[in-house]
Amino acid sequence: RKHVIAAIEVYTVKMDGTSSFQSQNTREARILARRKRIQERIAALKEGDNAGGKEGDKKEEVGKGKQQIIESRRKLYRVKHRTDQDVTSVRVAGDERENAHRVAEENTRQELRAKLLAEAEQSARQNAAVAMRWADLFSIEVPQDLYQEIEKQRQACEKIISSKDKLISEIKSELKKKDDEFVKTLKRQAEDIDTLLQYMSRQFVEMQNAYKEELDEIEGAYLAERTDLLGGNRREVGDLFERR
């Protein structure tokens, strides 16, 4: 049992430093990546609004077909941005849960490490006290007194063993809890994947319908522009014949 406790202490201390460092780096990398994505989206939205203002100023100079293309692109971008938000929300929620889980796991690891250190110190003091008492037993000549002292030593040893058994039981309980959390995490990830697939399927359908609608709008705009051009050309030709 002493070897088991010592091995657990060494493993916990090593894993504590390594996991904390890796967890901190991974968390900071995710935060920076998320901020970068948000900034890129905000910049894209601002560019779309600025482009929309400039396009509005040139509306009279641009033909109906090109103007419809500009409007269609803006509509498609809005649809894509909205549907991307639904898809991204699943990942963001998963990241938040994972971060909360890592924080809770770190707290549990710190508590377990503190218990291991406290138990090791207490056990060392108790072992030293028991070892010092063994030498005194050789000087006792009365059998009843010797029996009482040996009984005290036995009780002290049982107390030490009971403390270690209690700590081992807590560690086993924590391992069982981790197993249950792992199963729950797998189920939750499966649910997230199903939700993500639903959002992606819905996004595909919405984008497909939006593209069809905008293609029809563009085609109609070009046909209207063609009709206007043909009408204008006919009028010009008619005016030229009348002048001759």
Side-chain angles (χ1 to χ4, degrees):
R1 287 174 178 168
K2 292 182 180 179
H3 295 295
V4 173
I5 294 296
I8 292 174
E9 292 174 359
V10 174
Y11 175 78
T12 304
V13 172
K14 291 183 178 179
M15 290 301 294
D16 179 49
T18 304
S19 300
S20 299
F21 180 75
Q22 293 178 350
S23 177
Q24 184 67 21
N25 290 340
T26 305
R27 191 180 303 113
E28 292 178 356
R30 286 199 300 269
I31 292 174
L32 291 175
R34 190 177 304 164
R35 288 178 179 173
K36 184 178 180 181
R37 290 196 300 270
I38 293 173
Q39 291 174 357
E40 290 176 352
R41 288 174 181 171
I42 293 174
L45 287 174
K46 289 182 178 179
E47 291 178 359
D49 293 339
N50 293 334
K54 295 178 180 179
E55 292 155 4
D57 296 338
K58 299 179 180 179
K59 187 172 182 179
E60 297 180 357
E61 301 177 3
V62 180
K64 292 182 178 180
K66 292 183 179 180
Q67 181 63 32
Q68 183 60 46
I69 290 176
I70 294 172
E71 294 295 332
S72 296
R73 284 177 177 174
R74 295 180 63 184
K75 291 180 181 178
L76 291 173
Y77 176 79
R78 291 194 183 96
V79 174
K80 184 177 183 300
H81 179 71
R82 177 174 54 78
T83 53
D84 282 343
Q85 290 283 358
D86 294 337
V87 175
T88 306
S89 64
V90 178
R91 183 176 58 185
V92 172
D95 291 341
E96 291 178 353
R97 284 198 305 267
E98 181 63 22
N99 290 335
H101 172 71
R102 287 179 181 273
V103 171
E105 186 177 2
E106 182 66 20
N107 294 333
T108 303
R109 186 184 293 110
Q110 292 293 341
E111 293 177 0
L112 180 60
R113 181 173 180 270
K115 290 180 179 180
L116 286 171
L117 294 176
E119 199 283 331
E121 294 177 359
Q122 182 181 0
S123 177
R125 290 194 299 267
Q126 292 175 344
N127 286 331
V130 170
M132 291 176 62
R133 288 292 300 167
W134 286 119
D136 297 337
L137 296 181
F138 291 101
S139 61
I140 300 176
E141 297 179 356
V142 180
Q144 291 82 0
D145 296 340
L146 181 61
Y147 173 78
Q148 292 178 357
E149 292 298 327
I150 292 176
E151 185 67 18
K152 291 180 181 179
Q153 289 289 85
R154 185 185 65 80
Q155 293 176 358
C157 292
E158 288 182 352
K159 185 177 180 181
I160 296 173
I161 294 174
S162 175
S163 176
K164 293 184 179 297
D165 289 339
K166 181 180 179 181
L167 184 59
I168 291 174
S169 177
E170 290 181 4
I171 294 174
K172 289 182 178 180
S173 176
E174 189 65 28
L175 290 175
K176 179 64 169 58
K177 181 180 177 181
K178 294 297 180 184
D179 290 340
D180 296 338
E181 288 181 357
F182 179 72
V183 174
K184 292 179 180 179
T185 301
L186 289 179
K187 292 180 179 179
R188 190 180 298 112
Q189 288 179 350
E191 294 175 356
D192 289 343
I193 291 174
D194 292 338
T195 304
L196 185 62
L197 290 175
Q198 292 177 0
Y199 284 153
M200 292 175 67
S201 299
R202 188 172 66 186
Q203 181 186 30
F204 172 77
V205 173
E206 290 186 14
M207 290 298 298
Q208 186 180 40
N209 294 333
Y211 270 101
K212 288 180 180 179
E213 292 176 0
E214 296 307 320
L215 283 174
D216 292 338
E217 293 291 337
I218 292 172
E219 183 179 7
Y222 271 110
L223 290 175
E225 183 178 358
R226 175 178 177 274
T227 302
D228 293 341
L229 288 174
L230 290 175
N233 291 336
R234 289 193 183 97
R235 286 193 295 272
E236 290 180 4
V237 172
D239 293 339
L240 291 175
F241 276 117
E242 289 179 358
R243 292 176 185 176
R244 294 182 62 184

